[in-house]
Amino acid sequence: MNYNILKSKEVKINYRFSIINLIILFLLCYILVLLQGSFLPFFIFFNSYFNLIFILVIVINIIEGSKKYFAFFASIIGGFLLDIFYQGFLGIDFFGINIFFLLFLSILIKTTLSYVSIK
Amino acid sequence: MLFKSNFTIKFILLVVIFIFLINFFSFSNKIQNFFYNISFPVQKNFWSAGINFLDFYNNIFNIEKIKQENRDLKQRVNELEVININSFQIEQENKFLRQALNINLSKDFDLILSDVVSKNYSQDSILINKGKKHGIEVGFPVIAQEKVLVGKVEEVYENFSKVMLVSNKRNNFNVEIISGNWKDFISFPIFMIKEKFNSSNSSNSILCKATGKGNFKIELDLIPKEKEISKGDLIITTLLGDVLPKGLLVGHIIEVENVPTDPFWKVDLKLSFNLDDLRHVFVIKNEL
C-alpha cells in the first residue's frame, strides 16, 4: 500500500518535472528562433548565419545519449517554431518540413550514438 | 534498435498526424499570424539591439577608417566654409551693386567699387582696398550705395586708400538743409531727394557749413535763428566750395537747440550711414 502511494507521488513529480522541462524548452527555442531572425542577420559570415535550433537539437542529442527521447521534443518544438517563422527548408515550402528534418537528424544522431556505445 | 521502441514509432506517428492536420485544415496561417503578433515587440527589440551591436562592432573594427573619414570630412567642411564665405561676399557685393544700379549712381558718376578693409573708430577713418593703381587720388569723395556721403580720400597708397569720414574733425564742407515734412521718408529718402532738390532750389533750403566733431558726430554752423529748421530735416551736399558733388545725402537733423545767448541754432546731425554695416563703398572719380 505504502509502496503504491510512493510510486504515484514519484509519477506525479516526474510528470511535473517533464512539463516544466518542456515549457523551458519551448521558451528557449522561441528566444533562439527570434534571435535567429532578428539579431543574427546582422552578423553574416560567408553569406550565411547559424541555425541556433539546429545546434540546440544536436547538443541535446549528444548530451542525453541514445536512450532518452527529450531531443525528439526539442526537434518538434524547434521545428514547429522554425516552420512558423521561416517556413520552408532547402527550397521545400511545406509546413512541417523543419520538424521532419530535425526529427530525422535526431534519429540519425541517436542511431549513431547507440551504434558507437554498443561497440 | 531505436525503431524497436514503441515510444519512437508512436511518437513519429503522432507528429505526422499533427503536421498533416495542420496542413489539411490550413491552420498554419492562423498559427503563424498568432505567433507574429505576440513576437513583434520582442523582435523589434532584438532588431534594434542587432543594429546597435553592429554599429558598435563596426566602430571598433573600422576605427582607423572612421578616423580617416573624419579627417576627410573636416577638410571638406573647411573647404565648403571657404566657398560659403566667398559666395556670401559675392552675394553682398551683388546686392550692393544692384542697389547702386537702382538709384542710377553709375549714370551720375564714374565710380570705383571698393571694399572696406578696416575701420578706425578713434580717428573717424576707414581703409579701402583700392589705391593709386586703380586711379584713386586724394580728395575723391566716397559714398555708400544709396548716394550717402561717407567721406573723402585722405591718403592714397598703391593698392589701398585711407578715407576720412564726414565726421572727422578735420572735415568741413558746405551743405544745404532741406526743410519740410521728411520724417516719414527718413528710411528711404534717396528717391525723394533729387526731385525735391531739383524742384526747390528753394525758399525752404538753407545753406550752411557742416563740421566734423569726431566720434561720428557732425555739427551745423552758422544757421541764423530767423531760418526755420526742425527735427528730421535732411542735410545734403551743395556745389558751393566745389569740393563735393551736389545732392549727396549726409544725414538728418536729430536735435535743434536754442541757446538764448547765441544768434545761431545749435544743430545735431545723425549720419545716414552706419559704419558697422559698411562693407563696400564707391569712390567717385568724376561727375559724368
Side-chain angles (χ1 to χ4, degrees):
Chain A
M1 183 70 182
N2 282 340
Y3 175 75
N4 282 338
I5 291 167
L6 280 175
K7 204 179 176 185
S8 67
K9 273 187 182 174
E10 195 182 333
V11 168
K12 270 185 187 175
I13 289 165
N14 281 340
Y15 177 74
R16 265 188 214 158
F17 181 71
S18 57
I19 290 287
I20 290 166
N21 277 355
L22 283 176
I23 290 168
I24 292 169
L25 179 70
F26 181 84
L27 288 174
L28 182 67
C29 288
Y30 183 62
I31 290 167
L32 289 180
V33 164
L34 292 183
L35 272 177
Q36 194 172 311
S38 311
F39 190 75
L40 288 189
F42 294 102
F43 306 95
I44 295 171
F45 300 100
F46 303 110
N47 240 357
S48 59
Y49 52 90
F50 295 112
N51 187 332
L52 297 177
I53 298 294
F54 184 86
I55 294 166
L56 178 79
V57 169
I58 292 173
V59 168
I60 291 174
N61 270 302
I62 290 169
I63 288 170
E64 74 176 3
S66 59
K67 291 183 179 171
K68 288 180 183 173
Y69 304 106
F70 193 69
F72 287 156
F73 291 103
S75 303
I76 290 168
I77 292 168
F80 175 74
L81 289 170
L82 280 178
D83 277 326
I84 282 171
F85 285 95
Y86 322 104
Q87 195 174 341
F89 178 74
L90 295 173
I92 305 164
D93 189 13
F94 166 75
F95 192 91
I97 187 70
N98 283 298
I99 300 176
F100 280 131
F101 169 73
L102 289 174
L103 273 175
F104 174 74
L105 185 76
S106 293
I107 291 165
L108 193 73
I109 293 169
K110 284 191 188 301
T111 312
T112 313
L113 283 175
S114 64
Y115 180 73
V116 170
S117 65
I118 285 168
K119 278 218 160 184
Chain B
M1 189 163 145
L2 194 69
F3 288 97
K4 281 177 185 170
S5 146
N6 259 345
F7 174 81
T8 315
I9 294 163
K10 282 178 191 171
F11 189 81
I12 290 168
L13 269 174
L14 274 174
V15 170
V16 170
I17 292 164
F18 170 72
I19 291 168
F20 175 77
L21 284 175
I22 285 178
N23 279 293
F24 186 79
F25 292 106
S26 300
F27 278 149
S28 62
N29 287 348
K30 286 173 188 168
I31 296 169
Q32 277 171 319
N33 188 50
F34 170 74
F35 272 96
Y36 291 155
N37 270 336
I38 58 166
S39 308
F40 175 69
V42 186
Q43 272 183 309
K44 209 173 140 187
N45 284 333
F46 277 147
W47 191 263
S48 58
I51 291 171
N52 291 339
F53 199 82
L54 187 69
D55 278 349
F56 178 69
Y57 170 86
N58 281 340
N59 286 345
I60 288 173
F61 288 94
N62 297 323
I63 199 142
E64 271 308 312
K65 200 179 156 191
I66 290 168
K67 271 184 182 173
Q68 183 57 41
E69 205 174 289
N70 198 19
R71 278 195 288 269
D72 292 346
L73 285 171
K74 271 184 182 167
Q75 199 180 337
R76 184 76 186 133
V77 165
N78 288 339
E79 284 169 12
L80 286 172
E81 268 179 357
V82 170
I83 291 170
N84 199 19
I85 288 166
N86 286 341
S87 36
F88 177 74
Q89 280 170 347
I90 289 166
E91 192 189 321
Q92 292 295 313
E93 202 174 299
N94 194 12
K95 201 173 155 189
F96 184 77
L97 287 168
R98 274 174 197 276
Q99 277 180 319
L101 280 173
N102 279 342
I103 57 168
N104 292 328
L105 266 180
S106 54
K107 265 188 186 175
D108 297 338
F109 307 110
D110 186 7
L111 301 169
I112 302 167
L113 172 67
S114 54
D115 298 336
V116 177
V117 179
S118 70
K119 298 166 188 174
N120 191 335
Y121 287 80
S122 62
Q123 288 183 8
D124 286 69
S125 66
I126 55 173
L127 191 70
I128 58 172
N129 69 341
K130 296 284 160 68
K132 206 181 282 177
K133 213 165 104 180
H134 306 96
I136 290 177
E137 289 174 21
V138 173
F140 278 2
V142 177
I143 58 171
Q145 77 267 30
E146 287 177 329
K147 237 178 176 180
V148 172
L149 182 66
V150 172
K152 59 185 180 187
V153 177
E154 186 187 17
E155 280 177 54
V156 182
Y157 311 103
E158 195 60 31
N159 292 309
F160 296 91
S161 300
K162 190 176 171 186
V163 176
M164 179 167 66
L165 298 179
V166 283
S167 56
N168 191 297
K169 281 180 183 172
R170 282 172 284 139
N171 214 346
N172 62 67
F173 49 97
N174 293 306
V175 291
E176 187 172 0
I177 302 170
I178 301 176
S179 305
N181 190 17
W182 289 94
K183 296 169 191 73
D184 299 336
F185 307 108
I186 287 296
S187 56
F188 47 97
I190 204 69
F191 307 105
M192 312 296 289
I193 282 178
K194 210 168 183 180
E195 271 177 45
K196 180 77 179 168
F197 187 76
N198 290 337
S199 67
S200 65
N201 265 339
S202 65
S203 56
N204 285 340
S205 66
I206 302 158
L207 294 171
C208 62
K209 201 166 195 78
T211 311
K213 289 286 169 193
N215 291 325
F216 309 105
K217 284 179 188 158
I218 294 183
E219 205 175 72
L220 298 183
D221 300 326
L222 308 172
I223 308 167
K225 283 188 176 169
E226 299 85 62
K227 299 282 184 184
E228 277 186 27
I229 53 170
S230 57
K231 209 170 156 182
D233 286 352
L234 291 179
I235 314 298
I236 59 171
T237 55
T238 176
L239 271 176
L240 278 174
D242 206 16
V243 178
L244 297 166
K246 183 174 100 175
L248 299 177
L249 181 65
V250 179
H252 63 271
I253 295 173
I254 50 166
E255 196 159 339
V256 182
E257 200 180 335
N258 184 4
V259 183
T261 53
D262 196 340
F264 302 105
W265 293 112
K266 198 181 170 197
V267 179
D268 282 335
L269 281 192
K270 186 180 188 329
L271 295 175
S272 290
F273 69 91
N274 185 357
L275 192 61
D276 293 332
D277 298 335
L278 212 59
R279 300 277 181 275
H280 311 277
V281 289
F282 289 109
V283 180
I284 302 175
K285 270 177 97 172
N286 46 44
E287 234 175 315
L288 293 174

